[in-house]
Amino acid sequence: MLARVLSSSVLGVEAYQVEVEVDTSRGLPQFNLVGLPEGAVKESKERVKSAIRNSGYEYPAGKITVNLAPADIRKEGSAFDLPIAIGLLIAEGVLQSSRVQDYLVMGELSLDGRLKPVRGGLPIAILARNSGRRGLVLPSSNAREAAIVEGIDVLGVDHLTEVFEFFNSDRELSPVRVDVNGLFSQHSVYEFDFNEVRGQEHAKRALEVAAAGGHNILMVGPPGSGKTMLAKRLPTVLPRLSLEEAIQTTKIYSVAGLLSSQSAIVATRPFRSPHHTISDAGLVGGGTIPRPGEVSLAHNGVLFLDELPEFSRNVLEVLRQPIEEGKVTISRALSSMTYPANFMLVGAMNPCPCGYLGDPAHSCHCTPLQIQRYRSRISGPLLDRIDIQVEVPAVRWQELAQETGGEASAEIGARVELARKIQEDRFSRAKIFCNAQMGSRMIRKYCQPEKEGERLLQLAVDKLGMSARGYTRVLKVARTIADLEDSATMRSSHVSEAIQYRSLDRLTE
């Protein structure tokens, strides 16, 4: 007898429908699984067999053929256990229900019939709604994230028996409901705040400018100067996530299996800080079946690379595409996947190999050649994509002894929000939303400084050795500084402050 159960799988961050066809017939006991299954899918045979028997049902004794259609797309993961088990029970005549076709079914089975969480609950729930299905049956651990999607019944189950009885009309399951706005508000609280940072007012200002214009930033300073502490607080001053951005980010975490059953939604700007030993596949994504990397997990948030020169050269070079395009494409022989990767890059590095160049409290013994080699580990094309370079000196005792650390994140964030609103209105007809994304044509249109500002730029190029790329970066940053002051014109003060944020462009003696 032939049975069909609808399920789903994920390709990139989008879900697609998979039809699980189960055929049982007389013959020697066999279990054939076709449709390009990966290892975990092939192993479902033993899990399904034990789960059915340990749940009190009879496992078919004859020949079994399971097809996962479309058969030309490689299937992975353990989410097909439950639809295969339901298909076997229908094919054997144990379960008779037309209800099955109204739902997408997914879940991993334990040997005793319990259901374990799977990846991709949120994008699959979106697929169920868009394809006109009544609902989605999946493990209870994934139900809250899927219930964010309105317009479908999300049924969370814990055991194969519950699913059998529901489809057999012997049990009713209540759809899981969540208050999306309440959940969003509850989890949109940050752990850190800028008022915890003592001193470093210049660096705080640079981070405020970076947040206001969406600029990538590089902090240069000795060990212990607070670079990591500052970077961790950058998401707290960025504009709050919209619900649409939150769902985009949550989809990535759902596919990666990093979404907890308690939170159900990513309501704050992500902050990812990979170690410098990470591989290029770990950073941008990869594997036999490509998984999202750190750049995608930082989507709509901050990617912090501490000790930037210590990262492998090939790892840093793969950052170019996601920084430039806001997405990363991973190509394999059988498929090509695109993951979103729109993030702010924050780098931190020491001024020299020992870390104490220019520090009055410590002596530096690095030679000019060693310093040059150390800094040259960051290639020109990558440095070209970092608008702001700021020095972060060691904190003095007087600053550490202060009772307060200055402005709170809420105060800084309010100014950033206003500046972003100005840019949103300015670029309302374009496909960009912040100053950092301006091209040469927009720079000529929106970044015209006053006469005094032009003279400052000329001095910066002639006397400080600023490059052409540094020149365009200064114009962008100056535009952002003007927006923070709600100024339509770019004054000389805006240009001079922007020039200060190009420390690595200056000629060294």
Side-chain angles (χ1 to χ4, degrees), residues 134-151:
R134 181 176 177 181
L136 170 66
V137 178
L138 77 172
S140 296
S141 302
N142 300 109
R144 281 172 59 82
E145 66 174 275
I148 293 173
V149 181
E150 298 179 347

Side-chain angles (χ1 to χ4, degrees), residues 85-145:
I86 294 299
L88 284 170
L89 294 174
I90 295 174
E92 279 296 285
V94 179
L95 176 62
Q96 296 179 356
S97 173
S98 59
R99 221 178 194 185
V100 176
Q101 298 303 314
D102 295 333
Y103 295 85
L104 294 185
V105 182
M106 58 183 291
E108 176 185 339
L109 286 170
S110 298
L111 299 185
D112 60 358
R114 288 180 296 111
L115 284 164
K116 294 184 177 181
V118 293
R119 297 177 178 178
L122 177 57
I124 291 174
I126 295 173
L127 171 69
R129 180 192 63 189
N130 295 342
S131 60
R133 300 297 162 192
R134 181 176 177 181
L136 170 66
V137 178
L138 77 172
S140 296
S141 302
N142 300 109
R144 281 172 59 82
E145 66 174 275

Side-chain angles (χ1 to χ4, degrees), residues 151-187:
I152 60 168
D153 293 339
V154 175
L155 307 179
V157 290
D158 297 308
H159 200 277
L160 174 60
T161 304
E162 295 179 40
V163 184
F164 176 88
E165 292 176 352
F166 171 72
F167 284 137
N168 211 32
S169 301
D170 296 330
R171 176 197 293 252
E172 288 301 320
L173 298 175
S174 300
V176 178
R177 305 294 183 195
V178 296
D179 179 6
V180 178
N181 293 327
L183 194 67
F184 192 67
S185 176
Q186 177 186 350
H187 292 283

Side-chain angles (χ1 to χ4, degrees), residues 1 5 24 70 104 190 193 201 204 236 259 262 265 292 297 312-313 338 362 390 400 429 435 443 449 490 509:
M1 183 177 176
V5 180
T24 58
L104 294 185
Y190 290 96
D193 198 287
E201 298 303 323
K204 289 180 187 177
T236 67
L259 195 63
Q262 300 301 319
I265 190 170
L297 295 173
S312 300
R313 186 67 174 256
T338 298
H362 300 83
V390 62
L400 288 173
R429 297 184 179 180
N435 289 334
I443 291 175
M490 286 169 47
E509 297 180 356

Side-chain angles (χ1 to χ4, degrees), residues 246-295:
I247 290 177
Q248 289 175 357
T249 307
T250 305
K251 283 171 65 177
I252 300 170
Y253 278 71
S254 176
V255 169
L258 299 177
L259 195 63
S260 70
S261 59
Q262 300 301 319
S263 61
I265 190 170
V266 178
T268 56
R269 298 276 177 186
F271 179 84
R272 303 295 299 183
S273 178
H275 193 261
H276 60 77
T277 57
I278 192 172
S279 66
D280 51 357
L283 190 62
V284 300
T288 306
I289 301 292
R291 296 285 187 190
E294 291 292 335
V295 296

Side-chain angles (χ1 to χ4, degrees), residues 180-364:
V180 178
N181 293 327
L183 194 67
F184 192 67
S185 176
Q186 177 186 350
H187 292 283
S188 60
V189 179
Y190 290 96
E191 181 182 357
F192 306 109
D193 198 287
F194 258 107
N195 62 12
E196 300 163 350
V197 182
R198 304 289 187 268
Q200 301 297 13
E201 298 303 323
H202 179 60
K204 289 180 187 177
R205 171 64 176 175
L207 287 169
E208 178 183 342
V209 174
H215 303 287
N216 299 322
I217 182 172
L218 174 62
M219 295 182 285
V220 184
S225 58
K227 300 186 294 295
T228 302
M229 188 176 188
L230 287 162
K232 285 182 177 180
R233 283 151 181 80
L234 178 58
T236 67
V237 300
L238 289 172
R240 288 191 174 274
L241 275 178
S242 66
L243 184 58
E244 181 183 355
E245 289 177 320
I247 290 177
Q248 289 175 357
T249 307
T250 305
K251 283 171 65 177
I252 300 170
Y253 278 71
S254 176
V255 169
L258 299 177
L259 195 63
S260 70
S261 59
Q262 300 301 319
S263 61
I265 190 170
V266 178
T268 56
R269 298 276 177 186
F271 179 84
R272 303 295 299 183
S273 178
H275 193 261
H276 60 77
T277 57
I278 192 172
S279 66
D280 51 357
L283 190 62
V284 300
T288 306
I289 301 292
R291 296 285 187 190
E294 291 292 335
V295 296
S296 297
L297 295 173
H299 181 60
N300 290 324
V302 173
L303 177 66
F304 177 53
L305 302 183
D306 199 7
E307 305 295 342
L308 189 62
E310 301 298 332
F311 284 78
S312 300
R313 186 67 174 256
N314 64 304
V315 171
L316 292 179
E317 292 308 303
V318 297
L319 281 173
R320 292 195 209 173
Q321 184 201 9
I323 290 176
E324 197 71 27
E325 300 179 9
K327 61 183 179 181
V328 58
T329 301
I330 305 167
S331 298
R332 293 291 182 267
L334 295 177
S335 63
S336 179
M337 298 183 187
T338 298
Y339 291 106
N342 188 9
F343 58 88
M344 274 186 64
L345 175 64
V346 180
M349 62 179 285
N350 296 329
C352 66
C354 76
Y356 294 110
L357 178 67
D359 188 348
H362 300 83
S363 58
C364 172

Side-chain angles (χ1 to χ4, degrees), residues 374-394:
Y374 177 74
R375 294 188 176 184
S376 65
R377 293 179 187 176
I378 307 173
S379 68
L382 178 60
L383 202 60
D384 182 29
R385 290 162 173 81
I386 300 177
D387 295 349
I388 297 177
Q389 306 154 4
V390 62
E391 295 179 3
V392 185

